Amino acid sequence: MRLRDILFAVLIGLGLWQAAVILTNAPHFILPSPWRVAQAAYHSRAIIAQNAWVTTIEVCLGLLIGTALGVVTAIQLSMSKTAERLMLPILVFTQAVPVFALAPLLTLWFGYGMGSKIVMAVLIIYFPVTSAFHDGLARIDSGYRDLSVSMSAGKWNFMRYVQIPQALPALGSGLRLAAVYAPIGAVIGEWVGASKGLGYLMLLANGRAKIDLMFASLIVLACLTVLLHLAVGVLASRLTRYAQGRPRP
């Protein structure tokens, strides 16, 4: 996804938005125009920036922790067939429980601060990262395995020098998904219970009928998600180039 394509999509979206305002003639407290939202964003830039910073910290910490846990879990599942047989069905089963339904419990257990939002983001991105990286670790040419056996290479050496480098593109794909999902987890947690963050600001604006401020907060959240996706996309591309440029074992 290139920046030019993003800007083009934004322009089309703004045009359709303005057209909808004109054609429906909806009152501004139902559907504010892009210009009115821009004015609200400018006048409330301080409070938006303060709450956006909180959400950004929650998302980044959740992304880092969830990625680390997912990588470790995927490696453990690949190194132990027993762990794979026992844990993989459990991981799949946990996805049958909507993570959003756990938000009130997480708020009760971890409080109304950043902790519950970080845990929510971790839970949302943990499975995609684990699943993508585990699939990448499993898709290794059988010839490499035969070669490692003939050279008496241990499991860890095979994992370190063969499986992990070859699975980096798959990890990159999982990270791209995680970058989109992580903000969802943080904002859902803020909706359930928070005193700071973009999700909290959206609820506050909605309760006070400041729909233009709510739209401004939503747009800032979308921009944050796009920037995070672009940053993670750069990292994923570098991982792929590293895997492709690395000498084959």
Side-chain angles (χ1 to χ4, degrees):
M1 184 169 57
R2 294 176 296 180
L3 183 59
R4 183 180 62 183
D5 297 333
I6 295 175
L7 293 176
F8 182 70
V10 169
L11 291 176
I12 292 179
L14 289 175
L16 293 174
W17 182 359
Q18 184 62 45
V21 172
I22 295 174
L23 293 176
T24 61
N25 197 25
H28 65 83
F29 56 86
I30 297 295
L31 181 63
S33 66
W35 176 246
R36 182 178 289 273
V37 172
Q39 287 181 313
Y42 177 77
H43 293 306
S44 303
R45 59 189 181 276
I47 188 172
I48 290 177
Q50 179 184 2
N51 287 276
W53 176 246
V54 173
T55 301
T56 300
I57 295 176
E58 294 168 352
V59 170
C60 291
L61 289 178
L63 185 61
L64 290 174
I65 296 173
T67 299
L69 291 176
V71 168
V72 171
T73 303
I75 292 175
Q76 181 61 36
L77 293 177
S78 297
M79 293 189 68
S80 172
K81 292 298 182 182
T82 301
E84 186 177 30
R85 287 195 300 268
L86 294 177
M87 294 181 60
L88 197 56
I90 297 176
L91 290 175
V92 174
F93 177 76
T94 57
Q95 298 308 297
V97 180
V99 180
F100 304 136
L102 298 177
L105 287 176
L106 296 178
T107 303
L108 177 64
W109 293 339
F110 296 96
Y112 285 84
M114 296 177 63
S116 57
K117 288 69 181 175
I118 294 173
V119 173
M120 188 73 179
V122 169
L123 289 178
I124 283 185
I125 70 173
Y126 171 69
F127 183 79
V129 173
T130 303
S131 179
F133 194 39
H134 178 258
D135 289 343
L137 293 172
R139 290 197 300 266
I140 301 297
D141 195 317
S142 59
Y144 291 153
R145 298 184 184 275
D146 297 338
L147 181 61
S148 68
V149 172
S150 65
M151 298 181 65
S152 300
K155 283 187 176 181
W156 172 244
N157 286 330
F158 180 69
M159 173 67 67
R160 178 182 177 184
Y161 294 108
V162 180
Q163 286 183 281
I164 291 179
Q166 297 297 314
L168 289 180
L171 176 60
S173 299
L175 291 177
R176 287 188 178 93
L177 290 176
V180 177
Y181 292 156
I184 297 176
V187 171
I188 291 295
E190 291 170 355
W191 284 348
V192 173
S195 58
K196 294 179 181 179
L198 288 174
Y200 162 77
L201 185 58
M202 280 187 275
L203 287 181
L204 183 65
N206 184 54
R208 297 182 178 181
K210 295 183 176 180
I211 308 304
D212 48 1
L213 178 58
M214 186 179 71
F215 268 80
S217 303
L218 181 61
I219 291 174
V220 171
L221 177 63
C223 292
L224 171 64
T225 304
V226 170
L227 289 176
L228 184 62
H229 185 271
L230 290 175
V232 171
V234 171
L235 175 61
S237 298
R238 291 185 177 180
L239 290 176
T240 301
R241 287 197 298 268
Y242 171 79
Q244 292 175 347
R246 192 175 184 274
R248 297 292 180 178

